[in-house]
Amino acid sequence: MSPRYKQLFAYLTGVTSEAELDAFIDRMDLSDMVGRIASPTLVTVGEFDPRSPLDEVLEFFDALEVPAEMWVFADQQHVLSLR
C-alpha cells in the first residue's frame, strides 16, 4: 500500500487492505457537516498537499456559511516547511 500516509491511516483505522481503506475514506465526506459549522473558520492548506487536494479544500471552503478565511501555502505539501 502506497504512499506512506495510506499505510499509516490503514494502521490507525484497523483496515487490512487498500480496497478496504479506500471504502473507509469514501465514507469520510464532510459535505453534510459543513453547514453545521457555526464559528468563524480559518482553513489552511499546502498548495500541493496530497492528503487534502486543493480543489477539494476549495469546495469545502466555498460551502462554509460562516465568516471564513483560507490560507494556501504556496509550494508546500501537508506540512509547512521553511526550506
Side-chain angles (χ1 to χ4, degrees):
M1 190 178 315
S2 184
R4 177 79 174 137
Y5 77 86
K6 284 186 102 174
Q7 295 170 348
L8 295 172
F9 197 49
Y11 172 77
L12 292 171
T13 57
V15 300
T16 57
S17 72
E18 189 164 5
E20 189 178 3
L21 179 62
D22 290 341
F24 185 94
I25 291 169
D26 286 344
R27 293 190 307 270
M28 295 178 64
D29 184 7
L30 296 175
S31 60
D32 62 334
M33 301 177 87
V34 70
R36 292 188 273 166
I37 296 173
S39 300
T41 303
L42 172 63
V43 177
T44 64
V45 64
E47 181 180 14
F48 302 113
D49 188 340
R51 299 180 203 176
S52 302
L54 188 54
D55 59 335
E56 292 179 18
V57 176
L58 286 168
E59 183 179 331
F60 173 82
F61 180 78
D62 288 343
L64 288 168
E65 298 174 358
V66 295
E69 188 170 327
M70 185 165 83
W71 297 354
V72 178
F73 293 100
D75 200 31
Q76 297 295 308
Q77 297 211 14
H78 187 65
V79 185
L80 183 62
S81 172
L82 299 177
R83 298 179 218 202

